[in-house]
Each structure stands twice: as structure tokens, then as C-alpha cells.
Amino acid sequence: MIKVTNITHFYEKDLALNNINLEIPKGEFLAIVGESGSGKSTLLSVISTLLKPTKGDVFFENINISDITNIDSFRQKNIGFIFQFHYLINYLTVKENIQIANELCLDEEIIELLELLNIEEIIDKYPNEISGGQRQRVAIARALINNPKVIFADEPTGNLDSKNSKNVFKIFRKLAKKGTTIIVATHDLKLAAKADKILEVKDGEL
């Protein structure tokens, strides 16, 4: 599904990634691990189209990302993003925060997602009325509302306790079984062990 060929990236003169080659099949749950500064977040940013590499190519279903003219439209149709910080809008309800990602979605679709995440009872609450774990699960629902082919998650459990962290990875496992490709960057090796495959990045290399 995703193919990365000869990816090298510099931040000015600092080498962040060095000649990375990688193939990720559809429905794989992949964990990218590495120490802070290893290059794992840079690799995730490149694969997810958020960062254009200095050299090399990223292919999504045999399409070269650099050939896509409207990258925003491509992301909206194909990709879901989950970050360490949920970025919910405080003056919007949970339902409204999810609708921002897909204005055409039905109420039933939102409720179904919230039920999957065990937070259906907070649909009309505001972010400051719910817990940190609930807020992160709302962010996951927002990422899923477009039925993306792939989800990229950068330290998605960084602000969660161990129980909620495990629950998030259980959700990723469910989604992968349904055919969604999941790519997670994490420093937590115990959580990474729940993935199908672990890739370690060290000094910009796999």
C-alpha cells in the first residue's frame, strides 16, 4: 500500500533520515520506535505527506505523492491523523469537533464511532467537561470519521495513563483487522509490542 524508496532528509546540515527503504502492506499495524531525536517522528511526517523529504519518493497505492496536485484533498480522502495533543476546539461539543473533519457525516456515523470507543455518552459535552483519555478518544473518532485507508499516530498515548493507552492500542488493533493501515510512532516499547511489526529508527536509519 505504501512504499518508501531512498528517503533522505536534512534539517539544514543535520541528517535526520539516511536512505530509508520501506514497504507497508494494507491492514498492517506498524509501530515505529526510537529514542528522542532518532528520526522516528521525521519518518512518520515524511510517510504521512506532512513533510517533503530532501531526497527520495513516497508512493501511496502506486501513486507518487510528489505527483499529487491537491494534497489537502488527497489527505482528507485517504488519511487520518492522531497527535499527542488532541487539538479539540473548546467551544464546540464532541459531536461538532468530529463534524469539522466531515461536514457530511450522519449523526448515526458519529454515534457508531463513539460506541466503538466507549464514549457515546459524552457526545454533547465540551472538551473541558471530559477527561484527558476521553478527549484523546474523541480525536481518534475525528480521525476515523472519513473512513481513512491509513491512520498515522504520533505519540498518541503520550498524555494518557496506562489503562487508556492500552485501550487506544486495542482500538488500533480492531481497525487493522478491518483493513485500515495503522502507523504509530511511540517511545513505549510495551505498547509497540501490540503491533504486527516494530521498526526501530536509530541515528536516522532503520
Side-chain angles (χ1 to χ4, degrees), residues 147-184:
N147 295 311
K149 294 177 181 177
V150 57
I151 290 174
F152 293 97
D154 192 4
E155 298 287 2
T157 60
N159 289 324
L160 301 182
D161 59 27
S162 60
K163 181 182 176 182
N164 279 308
S165 295
K166 288 175 184 174
N167 285 341
V168 167
F169 270 68
K170 280 181 185 176
I171 292 160
F172 289 157
R173 167 61 60 201
K174 278 186 190 177
L175 294 169
K177 283 183 177 177
K178 290 182 179 180
T180 306
T181 306
I182 310 287
I183 304 169
V184 181

mmCIF file of all heavy atoms in Angstrom, residues 147-184:
data_model
loop_
_atom_site.group_PDB
_atom_site.id
_atom_site.type_symbol
_atom_site.label_atom_id
_atom_site.label_comp_id
_atom_site.label_asym_id
_atom_site.label_seq_id
_atom_site.Cartn_x
_atom_site.Cartn_y
_atom_site.Cartn_z
ATOM 1 N N ASN A 147 -13.457 7.453 7.251
ATOM 2 C CA ASN A 147 -13.057 6.090 6.868
ATOM 3 C C ASN A 147 -11.725 6.086 6.121
ATOM 4 O O ASN A 147 -11.634 5.612 4.988
ATOM 5 C CB ASN A 147 -14.140 5.426 6.002
ATOM 6 C CG ASN A 147 -15.425 5.204 6.757
ATOM 7 O OD1 ASN A 147 -15.417 4.679 7.861
ATOM 8 N ND2 ASN A 147 -16.535 5.639 6.170
ATOM 9 N N PRO A 148 -10.669 6.609 6.729
ATOM 10 C CA PRO A 148 -9.384 6.701 6.024
ATOM 11 C C PRO A 148 -8.791 5.322 5.745
ATOM 12 O O PRO A 148 -9.052 4.355 6.468
ATOM 13 C CB PRO A 148 -8.505 7.478 7.013
ATOM 14 C CG PRO A 148 -9.088 7.160 8.353
ATOM 15 C CD PRO A 148 -10.570 7.062 8.132
ATOM 16 N N LYS A 149 -7.991 5.252 4.700
ATOM 17 C CA LYS A 149 -7.305 3.995 4.380
ATOM 18 C C LYS A 149 -6.127 3.762 5.319
ATOM 19 O O LYS A 149 -5.736 2.623 5.558
ATOM 20 C CB LYS A 149 -6.815 4.044 2.933
ATOM 21 C CG LYS A 149 -7.943 4.090 1.909
ATOM 22 C CD LYS A 149 -7.389 4.210 0.497
ATOM 23 C CE LYS A 149 -8.537 4.282 -0.511
ATOM 24 N NZ LYS A 149 -8.036 4.481 -1.890
ATOM 25 N N VAL A 150 -5.570 4.857 5.822
ATOM 26 C CA VAL A 150 -4.414 4.742 6.713
ATOM 27 C C VAL A 150 -4.513 5.778 7.826
ATOM 28 O O VAL A 150 -4.988 6.895 7.604
ATOM 29 C CB VAL A 150 -3.085 4.890 5.931
ATOM 30 C CG1 VAL A 150 -3.012 6.211 5.183
ATOM 31 C CG2 VAL A 150 -1.882 4.745 6.843
ATOM 32 N N ILE A 151 -4.099 5.381 9.025
ATOM 33 C CA ILE A 151 -4.051 6.304 10.161
ATOM 34 C C ILE A 151 -2.609 6.451 10.615
ATOM 35 O O ILE A 151 -1.907 5.452 10.822
ATOM 36 C CB ILE A 151 -4.904 5.785 11.330
ATOM 37 C CG1 ILE A 151 -6.386 5.886 10.957
ATOM 38 C CG2 ILE A 151 -4.640 6.584 12.603
ATOM 39 C CD1 ILE A 151 -7.297 5.280 11.976
ATOM 40 N N PHE A 152 -2.172 7.687 10.750
ATOM 41 C CA PHE A 152 -0.849 7.999 11.282
ATOM 42 C C PHE A 152 -1.019 8.590 12.674
ATOM 43 O O PHE A 152 -1.785 9.540 12.860
ATOM 44 C CB PHE A 152 -0.121 9.006 10.382
ATOM 45 C CG PHE A 152 0.228 8.458 9.023
ATOM 46 C CD1 PHE A 152 -0.588 8.711 7.931
ATOM 47 C CD2 PHE A 152 1.369 7.697 8.842
ATOM 48 C CE1 PHE A 152 -0.280 8.208 6.674
ATOM 49 C CE2 PHE A 152 1.690 7.188 7.593
ATOM 50 C CZ PHE A 152 0.864 7.439 6.508
ATOM 51 N N ALA A 153 -0.318 8.014 13.635
ATOM 52 C CA ALA A 153 -0.442 8.479 15.017
ATOM 53 C C ALA A 153 0.948 8.742 15.588
ATOM 54 O O ALA A 153 1.782 7.843 15.631
ATOM 55 C CB ALA A 153 -1.177 7.433 15.852
ATOM 56 N N ASP A 154 1.191 9.980 16.000
ATOM 57 C CA ASP A 154 2.496 10.364 16.554
ATOM 58 C C ASP A 154 2.375 10.505 18.067
ATOM 59 O O ASP A 154 1.739 11.445 18.552
ATOM 60 C CB ASP A 154 2.962 11.677 15.919
ATOM 61 C CG ASP A 154 4.420 11.977 16.235
ATOM 62 O OD1 ASP A 154 5.085 11.142 16.877
ATOM 63 O OD2 ASP A 154 4.907 13.049 15.832
ATOM 64 N N GLU A 155 2.942 9.561 18.798
ATOM 65 C CA GLU A 155 2.875 9.534 20.278
ATOM 66 C C GLU A 155 1.436 9.750 20.751
ATOM 67 O O GLU A 155 1.161 10.635 21.575
ATOM 68 C CB GLU A 155 3.798 10.598 20.879
ATOM 69 C CG GLU A 155 5.275 10.401 20.559
ATOM 70 C CD GLU A 155 5.909 9.240 21.332
ATOM 71 O OE1 GLU A 155 5.205 8.554 22.092
ATOM 72 O OE2 GLU A 155 7.114 9.011 21.151
ATOM 73 N N PRO A 156 0.485 8.940 20.259
ATOM 74 C CA PRO A 156 -0.925 9.197 20.582
ATOM 75 C C PRO A 156 -1.282 8.957 22.040
ATOM 76 O O PRO A 156 -2.329 9.406 22.497
ATOM 77 C CB PRO A 156 -1.667 8.204 19.681
ATOM 78 C CG PRO A 156 -0.698 7.073 19.501
ATOM 79 C CD PRO A 156 0.651 7.734 19.426
ATOM 80 N N THR A 157 -0.421 8.234 22.770
ATOM 81 C CA THR A 157 -0.722 7.947 24.171
ATOM 82 C C THR A 157 0.182 8.722 25.126
ATOM 83 O O THR A 157 0.228 8.443 26.317
ATOM 84 C CB THR A 157 -0.578 6.438 24.455
ATOM 85 O OG1 THR A 157 0.764 6.037 24.175
ATOM 86 C CG2 THR A 157 -1.525 5.626 23.591
ATOM 87 N N GLY A 158 0.898 9.715 24.597
ATOM 88 C CA GLY A 158 1.862 10.456 25.405
ATOM 89 C C GLY A 158 1.266 11.155 26.612
ATOM 90 O O GLY A 158 1.936 11.347 27.615
ATOM 91 N N ASN A 159 -0.011 11.519 26.535
ATOM 92 C CA ASN A 159 -0.666 12.220 27.650
ATOM 93 C C ASN A 159 -1.695 11.351 28.370
ATOM 94 O O ASN A 159 -2.508 11.862 29.135
ATOM 95 C CB ASN A 159 -1.366 13.487 27.135
ATOM 96 C CG ASN A 159 -0.362 14.549 26.725
ATOM 97 O OD1 ASN A 159 0.675 14.697 27.345
ATOM 98 N ND2 ASN A 159 -0.667 15.263 25.661
ATOM 99 N N LEU A 160 -1.652 10.024 28.139
ATOM 100 C CA LEU A 160 -2.643 9.140 28.730
ATOM 101 C C LEU A 160 -2.020 8.235 29.791
ATOM 102 O O LEU A 160 -0.836 7.914 29.732
ATOM 103 C CB LEU A 160 -3.278 8.257 27.638
ATOM 104 C CG LEU A 160 -3.977 8.980 26.486
ATOM 105 C CD1 LEU A 160 -4.595 7.961 25.540
ATOM 106 C CD2 LEU A 160 -5.048 9.929 27.001
ATOM 107 N N ASP A 161 -2.861 7.791 30.729
ATOM 108 C CA ASP A 161 -2.387 6.808 31.702
ATOM 109 C C ASP A 161 -2.318 5.431 31.041
ATOM 110 O O ASP A 161 -2.740 5.254 29.885
ATOM 111 C CB ASP A 161 -3.293 6.787 32.934
ATOM 112 C CG ASP A 161 -4.744 6.454 32.608
ATOM 113 O OD1 ASP A 161 -5.008 5.762 31.601
ATOM 114 O OD2 ASP A 161 -5.633 6.886 33.349
ATOM 115 N N SER A 162 -1.782 4.447 31.765
ATOM 116 C CA SER A 162 -1.519 3.141 31.149
ATOM 117 C C SER A 162 -2.806 2.448 30.693
ATOM 118 O O SER A 162 -2.832 1.814 29.633
ATOM 119 C CB SER A 162 -0.748 2.246 32.122
ATOM 120 O OG SER A 162 -1.495 2.051 33.302
ATOM 121 N N LYS A 163 -3.880 2.589 31.471
ATOM 122 C CA LYS A 163 -5.140 1.941 31.099
ATOM 123 C C LYS A 163 -5.683 2.496 29.785
ATOM 124 O O LYS A 163 -6.040 1.746 28.867
ATOM 125 C CB LYS A 163 -6.178 2.130 32.214
ATOM 126 C CG LYS A 163 -7.510 1.461 31.915
ATOM 127 C CD LYS A 163 -8.518 1.734 33.031
ATOM 128 C CE LYS A 163 -9.881 1.143 32.661
ATOM 129 N NZ LYS A 163 -10.896 1.424 33.697
ATOM 130 N N ASN A 164 -5.729 3.828 29.667
ATOM 131 C CA ASN A 164 -6.236 4.445 28.443
ATOM 132 C C ASN A 164 -5.294 4.211 27.263
ATOM 133 O O ASN A 164 -5.736 4.089 26.125
ATOM 134 C CB ASN A 164 -6.465 5.940 28.651
ATOM 135 C CG ASN A 164 -7.785 6.229 29.358
ATOM 136 O OD1 ASN A 164 -8.836 5.750 28.942
ATOM 137 N ND2 ASN A 164 -7.737 6.988 30.431
ATOM 138 N N SER A 165 -3.992 4.139 27.542
ATOM 139 C CA SER A 165 -3.023 3.852 26.484
ATOM 140 C C SER A 165 -3.277 2.477 25.889
ATOM 141 O O SER A 165 -3.278 2.293 24.661
ATOM 142 C CB SER A 165 -1.598 3.922 27.039
ATOM 143 O OG SER A 165 -1.285 5.232 27.463
ATOM 144 N N LYS A 166 -3.501 1.502 26.761
ATOM 145 C CA LYS A 166 -3.792 0.136 26.285
ATOM 146 C C LYS A 166 -5.080 0.106 25.484
ATOM 147 O O LYS A 166 -5.178 -0.592 24.464
ATOM 148 C CB LYS A 166 -3.873 -0.826 27.473
ATOM 149 C CG LYS A 166 -2.535 -1.139 28.111
ATOM 150 C CD LYS A 166 -2.700 -2.001 29.349
ATOM 151 C CE LYS A 166 -1.358 -2.222 30.033
ATOM 152 N NZ LYS A 166 -1.524 -2.953 31.328
ATOM 153 N N ASN A 167 -6.080 0.863 25.928
ATOM 154 C CA ASN A 167 -7.361 0.903 25.209
ATOM 155 C C ASN A 167 -7.197 1.480 23.806
ATOM 156 O O ASN A 167 -7.801 0.991 22.849
ATOM 157 C CB ASN A 167 -8.380 1.731 25.988
ATOM 158 C CG ASN A 167 -8.927 1.004 27.203
ATOM 159 O OD1 ASN A 167 -8.824 -0.221 27.285
ATOM 160 N ND2 ASN A 167 -9.480 1.742 28.142
ATOM 161 N N VAL A 168 -6.376 2.524 23.671
ATOM 162 C CA VAL A 168 -6.133 3.124 22.360
ATOM 163 C C VAL A 168 -5.494 2.098 21.427
ATOM 164 O O VAL A 168 -5.895 1.953 20.261
ATOM 165 C CB VAL A 168 -5.242 4.381 22.488
ATOM 166 C CG1 VAL A 168 -4.715 4.814 21.120
ATOM 167 C CG2 VAL A 168 -6.021 5.521 23.129
ATOM 168 N N PHE A 169 -4.530 1.333 21.927
ATOM 169 C CA PHE A 169 -3.874 0.336 21.072
ATOM 170 C C PHE A 169 -4.817 -0.828 20.746
ATOM 171 O O PHE A 169 -4.708 -1.431 19.675
ATOM 172 C CB PHE A 169 -2.570 -0.151 21.712
ATOM 173 C CG PHE A 169 -1.383 0.680 21.309
ATOM 174 C CD1 PHE A 169 -1.267 2.006 21.730
ATOM 175 C CD2 PHE A 169 -0.392 0.173 20.490
ATOM 176 C CE1 PHE A 169 -0.189 2.792 21.350
ATOM 177 C CE2 PHE A 169 0.685 0.953 20.096
ATOM 178 C CZ PHE A 169 0.796 2.262 20.533
ATOM 179 N N LYS A 170 -5.751 -1.138 21.644
ATOM 180 C CA LYS A 170 -6.764 -2.153 21.337
ATOM 181 C C LYS A 170 -7.647 -1.688 20.180
ATOM 182 O O LYS A 170 -8.031 -2.467 19.306
ATOM 183 C CB LYS A 170 -7.635 -2.422 22.571
ATOM 184 C CG LYS A 170 -6.998 -3.342 23.599
ATOM 185 C CD LYS A 170 -7.947 -3.556 24.773
ATOM 186 C CE LYS A 170 -7.291 -4.375 25.869
ATOM 187 N NZ LYS A 170 -8.179 -4.493 27.061
ATOM 188 N N ILE A 171 -7.962 -0.391 20.185
ATOM 189 C CA ILE A 171 -8.767 0.182 19.097
ATOM 190 C C ILE A 171 -7.993 0.105 17.777
ATOM 191 O O ILE A 171 -8.547 -0.271 16.737
ATOM 192 C CB ILE A 171 -9.151 1.638 19.423
ATOM 193 C CG1 ILE A 171 -10.134 1.660 20.602
ATOM 194 C CG2 ILE A 171 -9.755 2.332 18.205
ATOM 195 C CD1 ILE A 171 -10.220 2.987 21.316
ATOM 196 N N PHE A 172 -6.708 0.443 17.818
ATOM 197 C CA PHE A 172 -5.881 0.328 16.613
ATOM 198 C C PHE A 172 -5.884 -1.105 16.085
ATOM 199 O O PHE A 172 -5.953 -1.340 14.879
ATOM 200 C CB PHE A 172 -4.440 0.760 16.903
ATOM 201 C CG PHE A 172 -4.261 2.235 17.120
ATOM 202 C CD1 PHE A 172 -3.170 2.724 17.829
ATOM 203 C CD2 PHE A 172 -5.162 3.150 16.604
ATOM 204 C CE1 PHE A 172 -2.984 4.080 18.027
ATOM 205 C CE2 PHE A 172 -4.990 4.526 16.793
ATOM 206 C CZ PHE A 172 -3.897 4.984 17.512
ATOM 207 N N ARG A 173 -5.799 -2.082 16.999
ATOM 208 C CA ARG A 173 -5.808 -3.491 16.603
ATOM 209 C C ARG A 173 -7.119 -3.849 15.909
ATOM 210 O O ARG A 173 -7.125 -4.499 14.859
ATOM 211 C CB ARG A 173 -5.591 -4.353 17.854
ATOM 212 C CG ARG A 173 -5.869 -5.838 17.707
ATOM 213 C CD ARG A 173 -5.009 -6.516 16.693
ATOM 214 N NE ARG A 173 -3.605 -6.399 17.033
ATOM 215 C CZ ARG A 173 -2.622 -6.535 16.158
ATOM 216 N NH1 ARG A 173 -2.882 -6.773 14.890
ATOM 217 N NH2 ARG A 173 -1.374 -6.426 16.517
ATOM 218 N N LYS A 174 -8.254 -3.379 16.457
ATOM 219 C CA LYS A 174 -9.563 -3.631 15.836
ATOM 220 C C LYS A 174 -9.613 -3.065 14.421
ATOM 221 O O LYS A 174 -10.098 -3.702 13.490
ATOM 222 C CB LYS A 174 -10.676 -2.957 16.661
ATOM 223 C CG LYS A 174 -11.148 -3.723 17.877
ATOM 224 C CD LYS A 174 -12.341 -2.953 18.469
ATOM 225 C CE LYS A 174 -12.738 -3.514 19.822
ATOM 226 N NZ LYS A 174 -13.835 -2.731 20.439
ATOM 227 N N LEU A 175 -9.122 -1.827 14.286
ATOM 228 C CA LEU A 175 -9.174 -1.158 12.980
ATOM 229 C C LEU A 175 -8.304 -1.876 11.958
ATOM 230 O O LEU A 175 -8.680 -2.023 10.792
ATOM 231 C CB LEU A 175 -8.721 0.296 13.132
ATOM 232 C CG LEU A 175 -9.636 1.180 13.975
ATOM 233 C CD1 LEU A 175 -8.970 2.510 14.277
ATOM 234 C CD2 LEU A 175 -10.967 1.408 13.266
ATOM 235 N N ALA A 176 -7.120 -2.328 12.381
ATOM 236 C CA ALA A 176 -6.223 -3.043 11.472
ATOM 237 C C ALA A 176 -6.880 -4.330 10.984
ATOM 238 O O ALA A 176 -6.763 -4.708 9.808
ATOM 239 C CB ALA A 176 -4.894 -3.328 12.158
ATOM 240 N N LYS A 177 -7.588 -5.015 11.882
ATOM 241 C CA LYS A 177 -8.274 -6.252 11.489
ATOM 242 C C LYS A 177 -9.356 -5.983 10.449
ATOM 243 O O LYS A 177 -9.688 -6.858 9.646
ATOM 244 C CB LYS A 177 -8.887 -6.924 12.724
ATOM 245 C CG LYS A 177 -7.862 -7.655 13.586
ATOM 246 C CD LYS A 177 -8.525 -8.361 14.755
ATOM 247 C CE LYS A 177 -7.481 -9.136 15.565
ATOM 248 N NZ LYS A 177 -8.069 -9.782 16.761
ATOM 249 N N LYS A 178 -9.896 -4.763 10.476
ATOM 250 C CA LYS A 178 -10.919 -4.394 9.490
ATOM 251 C C LYS A 178 -10.301 -3.890 8.184
ATOM 252 O O LYS A 178 -11.021 -3.534 7.251
ATOM 253 C CB LYS A 178 -11.829 -3.311 10.074
ATOM 254 C CG LYS A 178 -12.739 -3.823 11.184
ATOM 255 C CD LYS A 178 -13.641 -2.696 11.685
ATOM 256 C CE LYS A 178 -14.585 -3.188 12.773
ATOM 257 N NZ LYS A 178 -15.463 -2.097 13.276
ATOM 258 N N GLY A 179 -8.961 -3.789 8.126
ATOM 259 C CA GLY A 179 -8.300 -3.415 6.878
ATOM 260 C C GLY A 179 -7.680 -2.037 6.844
ATOM 261 O O GLY A 179 -7.072 -1.651 5.846
ATOM 262 N N THR A 180 -7.824 -1.261 7.936
ATOM 263 C CA THR A 180 -7.187 0.055 7.994
ATOM 264 C C THR A 180 -5.708 -0.118 8.334
ATOM 265 O O THR A 180 -5.363 -0.848 9.256
ATOM 266 C CB THR A 180 -7.852 0.933 9.068
ATOM 267 O OG1 THR A 180 -9.257 0.990 8.825
ATOM 268 C CG2 THR A 180 -7.283 2.348 9.051
ATOM 269 N N THR A 181 -4.849 0.542 7.590
ATOM 270 C CA THR A 181 -3.417 0.514 7.879
ATOM 271 C C THR A 181 -3.132 1.496 9.014
ATOM 272 O O THR A 181 -3.570 2.641 8.969
ATOM 273 C CB THR A 181 -2.610 0.889 6.625
ATOM 274 O OG1 THR A 181 -3.006 0.027 5.553
ATOM 275 C CG2 THR A 181 -1.114 0.723 6.859
ATOM 276 N N ILE A 182 -2.404 1.034 10.029
ATOM 277 C CA ILE A 182 -2.119 1.863 11.205
ATOM 278 C C ILE A 182 -0.608 2.018 11.344
ATOM 279 O O ILE A 182 0.120 1.015 11.404
ATOM 280 C CB ILE A 182 -2.662 1.218 12.503
ATOM 281 C CG1 ILE A 182 -4.129 0.798 12.348
ATOM 282 C CG2 ILE A 182 -2.445 2.144 13.687
ATOM 283 C CD1 ILE A 182 -5.114 1.909 12.337
ATOM 284 N N ILE A 183 -0.137 3.252 11.407
ATOM 285 C CA ILE A 183 1.292 3.520 11.578
ATOM 286 C C ILE A 183 1.459 4.457 12.767
ATOM 287 O O ILE A 183 0.984 5.593 12.747
ATOM 288 C CB ILE A 183 1.899 4.132 10.299
ATOM 289 C CG1 ILE A 183 1.632 3.206 9.106
ATOM 290 C CG2 ILE A 183 3.406 4.361 10.471
ATOM 291 C CD1 ILE A 183 1.953 3.821 7.765
ATOM 292 N N VAL A 184 2.121 3.950 13.803
ATOM 293 C CA VAL A 184 2.233 4.680 15.070
ATOM 294 C C VAL A 184 3.695 4.902 15.425
ATOM 295 O O VAL A 184 4.500 3.965 15.381
ATOM 296 C CB VAL A 184 1.570 3.881 16.217
ATOM 297 C CG1 VAL A 184 1.672 4.652 17.534
ATOM 298 C CG2 VAL A 184 0.124 3.567 15.909
#
